[in-house]
PDB file of all heavy atoms in Angstrom:
ATOM      1  N   VAL W 644      -3.218   7.621   8.543  1.00  0.00           N
ATOM      2  CA  VAL W 644      -3.188   6.223   8.140  1.00  0.00           C
ATOM      3  C   VAL W 644      -1.994   5.576   8.837  1.00  0.00           C
ATOM      4  O   VAL W 644      -0.862   6.047   8.699  1.00  0.00           O
ATOM      5  CB  VAL W 644      -3.057   6.076   6.607  1.00  0.00           C
ATOM      6  CG1 VAL W 644      -3.039   4.600   6.212  1.00  0.00           C
ATOM      7  CG2 VAL W 644      -4.175   6.816   5.886  1.00  0.00           C
ATOM      8  N   SER W 645      -2.276   4.528   9.594  1.00  0.00           N
ATOM      9  CA  SER W 645      -1.224   3.763  10.267  1.00  0.00           C
ATOM     10  C   SER W 645      -1.210   2.368   9.665  1.00  0.00           C
ATOM     11  O   SER W 645      -2.250   1.702   9.607  1.00  0.00           O
ATOM     12  CB  SER W 645      -1.487   3.677  11.769  1.00  0.00           C
ATOM     13  OG  SER W 645      -1.529   4.971  12.340  1.00  0.00           O
ATOM     14  N   ILE W 646      -0.040   1.955   9.209  1.00  0.00           N
ATOM     15  CA  ILE W 646       0.105   0.670   8.528  1.00  0.00           C
ATOM     16  C   ILE W 646       1.154  -0.154   9.265  1.00  0.00           C
ATOM     17  O   ILE W 646       2.240   0.354   9.564  1.00  0.00           O
ATOM     18  CB  ILE W 646       0.568   0.865   7.063  1.00  0.00           C
ATOM     19  CG1 ILE W 646      -0.355   1.837   6.318  1.00  0.00           C
ATOM     20  CG2 ILE W 646       0.667  -0.479   6.339  1.00  0.00           C
ATOM     21  CD1 ILE W 646       0.217   2.332   4.987  1.00  0.00           C
ATOM     22  N   SER W 647       0.828  -1.397   9.538  1.00  0.00           N
ATOM     23  CA  SER W 647       1.855  -2.329  10.016  1.00  0.00           C
ATOM     24  C   SER W 647       1.941  -3.449   8.993  1.00  0.00           C
ATOM     25  O   SER W 647       0.926  -3.900   8.460  1.00  0.00           O
ATOM     26  CB  SER W 647       1.540  -2.860  11.415  1.00  0.00           C
ATOM     27  OG  SER W 647       0.398  -3.675  11.406  1.00  0.00           O
ATOM     28  N   ILE W 648       3.173  -3.845   8.706  1.00  0.00           N
ATOM     29  CA  ILE W 648       3.421  -4.893   7.713  1.00  0.00           C
ATOM     30  C   ILE W 648       4.262  -5.970   8.388  1.00  0.00           C
ATOM     31  O   ILE W 648       5.452  -5.788   8.625  1.00  0.00           O
ATOM     32  CB  ILE W 648       4.164  -4.331   6.484  1.00  0.00           C
ATOM     33  CG1 ILE W 648       3.424  -3.125   5.910  1.00  0.00           C
ATOM     34  CG2 ILE W 648       4.355  -5.433   5.431  1.00  0.00           C
ATOM     35  CD1 ILE W 648       4.264  -2.312   4.924  1.00  0.00           C
ATOM     36  N   TYR W 649       3.604  -7.077   8.725  1.00  0.00           N
ATOM     37  CA  TYR W 649       4.294  -8.197   9.352  1.00  0.00           C
ATOM     38  C   TYR W 649       4.738  -9.168   8.267  1.00  0.00           C
ATOM     39  O   TYR W 649       3.932  -9.619   7.453  1.00  0.00           O
ATOM     40  CB  TYR W 649       3.374  -8.911  10.351  1.00  0.00           C
ATOM     41  CG  TYR W 649       3.941 -10.217  10.829  1.00  0.00           C
ATOM     42  CD1 TYR W 649       4.986 -10.233  11.752  1.00  0.00           C
ATOM     43  CD2 TYR W 649       3.477 -11.429  10.343  1.00  0.00           C
ATOM     44  CE1 TYR W 649       5.540 -11.433  12.174  1.00  0.00           C
ATOM     45  CE2 TYR W 649       4.013 -12.628  10.759  1.00  0.00           C
ATOM     46  CZ  TYR W 649       5.050 -12.624  11.681  1.00  0.00           C
ATOM     47  OH  TYR W 649       5.601 -13.820  12.088  1.00  0.00           O
ATOM     48  N   ASN W 650       6.012  -9.464   8.249  1.00  0.00           N
ATOM     49  CA  ASN W 650       6.570 -10.398   7.270  1.00  0.00           C
ATOM     50  C   ASN W 650       6.703 -11.773   7.904  1.00  0.00           C
ATOM     51  O   ASN W 650       7.173 -11.899   9.033  1.00  0.00           O
ATOM     52  CB  ASN W 650       7.932  -9.899   6.788  1.00  0.00           C
ATOM     53  CG  ASN W 650       7.780  -8.725   5.854  1.00  0.00           C
ATOM     54  OD1 ASN W 650       7.644  -8.891   4.658  1.00  0.00           O
ATOM     55  ND2 ASN W 650       7.751  -7.521   6.419  1.00  0.00           N
ATOM     56  N   GLU W 651       6.313 -12.788   7.144  1.00  0.00           N
ATOM     57  CA  GLU W 651       6.358 -14.147   7.660  1.00  0.00           C
ATOM     58  C   GLU W 651       7.782 -14.621   7.926  1.00  0.00           C
ATOM     59  O   GLU W 651       7.983 -15.537   8.695  1.00  0.00           O
ATOM     60  CB  GLU W 651       5.664 -15.104   6.684  1.00  0.00           C
ATOM     61  CG  GLU W 651       4.176 -14.861   6.588  1.00  0.00           C
ATOM     62  CD  GLU W 651       3.486 -15.810   5.621  1.00  0.00           C
ATOM     63  OE1 GLU W 651       4.146 -16.326   4.695  1.00  0.00           O
ATOM     64  OE2 GLU W 651       2.284 -16.029   5.794  1.00  0.00           O
ATOM     65  N   SER W 652       8.753 -13.975   7.283  1.00  0.00           N
ATOM     66  CA  SER W 652      10.140 -14.373   7.533  1.00  0.00           C
ATOM     67  C   SER W 652      11.030 -13.134   7.585  1.00  0.00           C
ATOM     68  O   SER W 652      10.768 -12.137   6.909  1.00  0.00           O
ATOM     69  CB  SER W 652      10.640 -15.327   6.438  1.00  0.00           C
ATOM     70  OG  SER W 652      10.928 -14.621   5.250  1.00  0.00           O
ATOM     71  N   LEU W 653      12.075 -13.234   8.394  1.00  0.00           N
ATOM     72  CA  LEU W 653      13.051 -12.149   8.474  1.00  0.00           C
ATOM     73  C   LEU W 653      13.753 -11.991   7.128  1.00  0.00           C
ATOM     74  O   LEU W 653      14.031 -10.863   6.694  1.00  0.00           O
ATOM     75  CB  LEU W 653      14.072 -12.426   9.583  1.00  0.00           C
ATOM     76  CG  LEU W 653      15.146 -11.358   9.779  1.00  0.00           C
ATOM     77  CD1 LEU W 653      14.522  -9.995  10.082  1.00  0.00           C
ATOM     78  CD2 LEU W 653      16.105 -11.773  10.885  1.00  0.00           C
ATOM     79  N   ASP W 654      13.994 -13.092   6.431  1.00  0.00           N
ATOM     80  CA  ASP W 654      14.626 -13.019   5.105  1.00  0.00           C
ATOM     81  C   ASP W 654      13.796 -12.170   4.150  1.00  0.00           C
ATOM     82  O   ASP W 654      14.333 -11.363   3.395  1.00  0.00           O
ATOM     83  CB  ASP W 654      14.820 -14.420   4.505  1.00  0.00           C
ATOM     84  CG  ASP W 654      15.958 -15.189   5.148  1.00  0.00           C
ATOM     85  OD1 ASP W 654      16.787 -14.561   5.843  1.00  0.00           O
ATOM     86  OD2 ASP W 654      16.012 -16.414   4.951  1.00  0.00           O
ATOM     87  N   ARG W 655      12.459 -12.348   4.172  1.00  0.00           N
ATOM     88  CA  ARG W 655      11.602 -11.566   3.288  1.00  0.00           C
ATOM     89  C   ARG W 655      11.670 -10.091   3.662  1.00  0.00           C
ATOM     90  O   ARG W 655      11.746  -9.222   2.797  1.00  0.00           O
ATOM     91  CB  ARG W 655      10.157 -12.057   3.332  1.00  0.00           C
ATOM     92  CG  ARG W 655       9.276 -11.309   2.306  1.00  0.00           C
ATOM     93  CD  ARG W 655       7.835 -11.800   2.354  1.00  0.00           C
ATOM     94  NE  ARG W 655       7.088 -11.382   1.186  1.00  0.00           N
ATOM     95  CZ  ARG W 655       6.543 -10.171   1.039  1.00  0.00           C
ATOM     96  NH1 ARG W 655       6.690  -9.262   1.962  1.00  0.00           N
ATOM     97  NH2 ARG W 655       5.859  -9.884  -0.055  1.00  0.00           N
ATOM     98  N   LEU W 656      11.625  -9.792   4.959  1.00  0.00           N
ATOM     99  CA  LEU W 656      11.717  -8.397   5.410  1.00  0.00           C
ATOM    100  C   LEU W 656      13.025  -7.778   4.939  1.00  0.00           C
ATOM    101  O   LEU W 656      13.037  -6.675   4.390  1.00  0.00           O
ATOM    102  CB  LEU W 656      11.616  -8.317   6.936  1.00  0.00           C
ATOM    103  CG  LEU W 656      11.856  -6.933   7.547  1.00  0.00           C
ATOM    104  CD1 LEU W 656      10.823  -5.927   7.064  1.00  0.00           C
ATOM    105  CD2 LEU W 656      11.858  -7.027   9.059  1.00  0.00           C
TER     106      LEU W 656
END
Side-chain angles (χ1 to χ4, degrees):
V644 180
S645 300
I646 307 166
S647 67
I648 307 166
Y649 169 75
N650 286 271
E651 293 180 335
S652 76
L653 180 58
D654 285 344
R655 185 180 195 279
L656 173 62

